Amino acid sequence: WEVISTGPGGTVVEFNITQSWRRSFSYPSGFGAVPGPATAINQLKRTGTFDFGDGANTPMLITVNSINNAEDWFVGNATITHTYQGSLDRIARFNSCCRIAGLGVNSDDPYDMRTVVTLSDPTNNSPVANTPPIFYVPINQVSNIQIAAFDPDSDPLSFSFASSSESGLTQPIPTTPNGPATLSPSGLISINTNGLPVGRKFATQVKVSDSRGATIPLDFVIQTVGVSTPPVFAYPPTPAN
């Protein structure tokens, strides 16, 4: 989110939200949304309600911008503007039920995504980050995932796994028989996949925070895949051109 303006009429904040959902789910109509599964780019899908944290809310309407038919999911975006009164920090959130099955102990858990809007510091804007809905990691090794984020105000950033109460996840830290995943202060996730089968899925949520109290959630899945052999250049030595 970013502060668009401040003045006697309040503080205008613009939220930029990216969501990923099961493509084949039958989404409801209303507020201009197209009911049924996501079938085309630029369709408007209604996925729930966004709570501004001050007693007001609005329908969550996202515009489809990419579809993965093979894996049955799509990604969409929404831009929502709201005017806040006062200088109390607010927690805006999107939460409901349920997550997909096949996530182990987190199967069918509720989901909760929260962002702290720092109205007490109207010059502040939230960190900015985005992730794919699924990170694929090969089995039988220690894999690293770097969370990419930046702060438009050049504030220092920190990274942490969200708690169960913040995320809705029974087990918010991905945990394998080799131990829990780790998350470094710079946003590097390390997970040991030794002995895991292909197709194992872990749901997790990372909270990105700036030094002035603003936070954003990154909620995604880590999925194991088989180890692939990289291609080999067939014409040694490499030609000059």
Side-chain angles (χ1 to χ4, degrees), residues 17-213:
I17 300 164
T18 300
Q19 294 185 340
S20 182
W21 293 88
R22 187 183 296 277
R23 185 203 63 82
S24 59
F25 182 76
S26 184
Y27 295 90
S29 60
F31 305 96
V34 178
T39 57
I41 302 300
N42 292 326
Q43 270 188 343
L44 193 65
K45 310 305 289 185
R46 180 183 171 195
T47 62
T49 301
F50 187 69
D51 185 342
F52 295 110
D54 62 352
N57 60 66
T58 190
M60 178 65 79
L61 301 169
I62 65 172
T63 301
V64 177
N65 60 30
S66 64
I67 299 175
N68 187 320
N69 287 301
E71 297 185 356
D72 195 32
W73 50 262
F74 76 91
V75 177
N77 294 93
T79 300
I80 301 171
T81 302
H82 182 64
T83 301
Y84 286 97
Q85 303 298 325
S87 58
L88 291 177
D89 291 351
R90 301 291 185 176
I91 298 176
R93 65 194 297 199
F94 178 79
N95 64 311
S96 189
C97 191
C98 296
R99 297 175 183 270
I100 61 172
L103 298 174
V105 296
N106 294 321
S107 294
D108 302 312
D109 272 354
Y111 49 84
D112 198 343
M113 272 69 77
R114 307 179 181 191
T115 180
V116 177
V117 184
T118 52
L119 299 173
S120 59
D121 184 355
T123 65
N124 193 34
N125 300 283
S126 79
V128 177
N130 201 357
T131 67
I134 305 174
F135 283 102
Y136 298 97
V137 295
I139 57 173
N140 297 325
Q141 59 186 274
V142 176
S143 293
N144 294 320
I145 299 168
Q146 178 63 58
I147 302 299
F150 75 95
D151 191 272
D153 308 309
S154 299
D155 297 326
L157 297 180
S158 60
F159 301 80
S160 60
F161 286 117
S163 65
S164 292
S165 61
E166 291 170 324
S167 65
L169 291 163
T170 300
Q171 187 179 75
I173 300 177
T175 301
T176 75
N178 307 298
T182 60
L183 176 59
S184 75
S186 62
L188 185 70
I189 297 174
S190 295
I191 183 169
N192 189 332
T193 63
N194 280 298
L196 294 183
V198 170
R200 182 73 180 273
K201 297 182 180 72
F202 301 90
T204 189
Q205 186 179 120
V206 171
K207 183 168 64 174
V208 185
S209 307
D210 72 12
S211 58
R212 293 194 272 176

